[in-house]
Amino acid sequence: MQRIHAALARIRSGDYGLCTVCEEEIAIRRLETDPVAMLCIACASRQEQR
Ligand SMILES: [Zn+2]
């Protein structure tokens, strides 16, 4: 829970919560499930298929 809180704080500061591939915003729900997610759902599922 602490890590999620830190992640949400970083989202507000603007240097977190964007996909590192397409720079789309990562859904908050996705970050709540996986606070260290660096990819949006689309890019993550694309990577998992490889
Ligand atoms: Zn993406």
Side-chain angles (χ1 to χ4, degrees), residues 18-26 38-44 46:
L18 293 182
C19 174
T20 56
V21 175
C22 68
E23 298 189 342
E24 283 287 320
E25 281 185 41
I26 301 171
M38 299 295 286
L39 300 174
C40 69
I41 294 169
C43 292
R46 205 181 303 152

Side-chain angles (χ1 to χ4, degrees), residues 11 17 24-33 37 39-41:
I11 290 167
E24 283 287 320
E25 281 185 41
I26 301 171
I28 296 290
R29 286 200 173 261
R30 173 161 169 74
L31 291 171
E32 283 173 346
T33 327
L39 300 174
C40 69
I41 294 169

